[in-house]
Amino acid sequence: ADVLALVASRAVPGVSTSPPQPGGDLTWGNLVFHWHTVPLPPPAQARKWAPDSSSGVIVANLGVRDLFDWIRESIGTPGPRDQGLRNALEGLEQLEKAGFFSDFLPRIESGMTVVTGLEEEQGRVYTTVALIVPSKNAQGAVDGLTGVIRKIGGAMAEKPDFLMSQSVENTVMHGWTWPKAFGWRDLFQPRYAALEDAFVFGNNGKFVEAVIRASVHGDGVESSPGFRK
């Protein structure tokens, strides 16, 4: 996907004042506007990767690190009776020890696209969410997050049925499976993968797979006949 960038400079005698076209110029007063076609970078491009089952798309310049920094600042120094905040702070400390801030976050960039949707499984409908962030080293981000999961999971992560991987189009979708005793097993099925110049993480395998396919084929919800901008 591309966008047209308009760059201004001083006027040059003899330049046409006809309506601007891609690759042409337009003179206005003492300025000349030059049209250039440039790639549309994530996260704006990721908006087009929302699959048909999407219910909403949010694009923001906020980075994942910014979000975690805000959480840390909001927690501050919990008091002895602030058990919820103490648990949240301990969770951040666990992530830091596992390498989340050193091995994963540096491999993704600022900006994010949040895609929401619904998926039906075994007669039940689940809310789905996928987070797409720009990354010049998306495979490195995948490897970094997998390492974090292994460290946090400990002995459970060494079990053969805990971590999973599945080929989808031109990439590999990774994730983990919670033990059956966990009540959120069906609601939260973490999956993540490297896309072209982006990294995707979601709570549902089918939904993340649909995002991957839409990113490859360009056949997301925006290209459907019923889509209205």
Side-chain angles (χ1 to χ4, degrees), residues 3 43 70 88-89 99-100 102-103 128 140 151-152 163 171 193 200 220 222 226 228:
V3 293
W70 174 79
L89 185 60
F100 183 83
S102 60
D103 299 335
T128 56
K151 291 177 182 177
I152 293 178
L163 294 174
T171 189
V200 59
E222 285 195 7
R228 293 191 302 171

Side-chain angles (χ1 to χ4, degrees), residues 121-133:
E121 295 183 15
Q122 299 179 351
R124 301 179 66 180
V125 178
Y126 298 97
T127 300
T128 56
V129 181
L131 173 67
I132 306 171
V133 295

Side-chain angles (χ1 to χ4, degrees), residues 175-208:
W176 68 91
T177 303
W178 301 105
K180 293 182 179 180
F182 285 48
W184 60 77
R185 175 186 171 101
D186 294 332
L187 179 63
F188 188 45
Q189 304 171 5
R191 298 292 184 268
Y192 56 97
L195 305 178
E196 183 179 359
D197 296 327
F199 171 88
V200 59
F201 181 94
N203 72 324
N204 180 277
K206 287 185 178 180
F207 195 63
V208 172

Side-chain angles (χ1 to χ4, degrees), residues 66-78 85 88 92:
D66 298 328
L67 181 61
F68 276 91
D69 288 344
W70 174 79
I71 293 174
R72 191 190 296 274
E73 292 176 2
S74 299
I75 293 174
T77 304
L85 294 179
L92 290 176

Side-chain angles (χ1 to χ4, degrees), residues 142-220:
V142 167
D143 296 339
L145 184 57
T146 300
V148 171
I149 295 167
R150 287 187 178 277
K151 291 177 182 177
I152 293 178
M156 185 168 59
E158 300 302 322
K159 295 182 178 180
D161 58 346
F162 183 73
L163 294 174
M164 60 78 61
S165 61
Q166 171 189 345
S167 295
V168 179
E169 297 294 340
N170 57 356
T171 189
V172 177
M173 183 173 66
H174 300 263
W176 68 91
T177 303
W178 301 105
K180 293 182 179 180
F182 285 48
W184 60 77
R185 175 186 171 101
D186 294 332
L187 179 63
F188 188 45
Q189 304 171 5
R191 298 292 184 268
Y192 56 97
L195 305 178
E196 183 179 359
D197 296 327
F199 171 88
V200 59
F201 181 94
N203 72 324
N204 180 277
K206 287 185 178 180
F207 195 63
V208 172
E209 183 176 343
V211 170
I212 295 172
R213 297 192 188 282
S215 73
V216 172
H217 298 290
D219 56 354

Side-chain angles (χ1 to χ4, degrees), residues 4-84:
L4 293 175
L6 194 58
V7 182
S9 63
R10 291 187 178 276
V12 179
V15 176
S16 171
T17 58
S18 59
Q21 299 292 327
D25 299 327
L26 170 65
T27 300
W28 184 42
N30 65 341
L31 295 178
V32 177
F33 293 92
H34 310 278
W35 290 89
H36 300 278
T37 301
V38 297
L40 183 64
Q45 176 175 295
R47 185 188 64 197
K48 299 181 180 294
W49 301 345
D52 288 340
S53 57
S54 301
S55 59
V57 179
I58 302 173
V59 180
N61 289 327
L62 180 71
V64 176
R65 182 180 288 277
D66 298 328
L67 181 61
F68 276 91
D69 288 344
W70 174 79
I71 293 174
R72 191 190 296 274
E73 292 176 2
S74 299
I75 293 174
T77 304
R81 297 185 178 181
D82 297 328
Q83 189 58 46

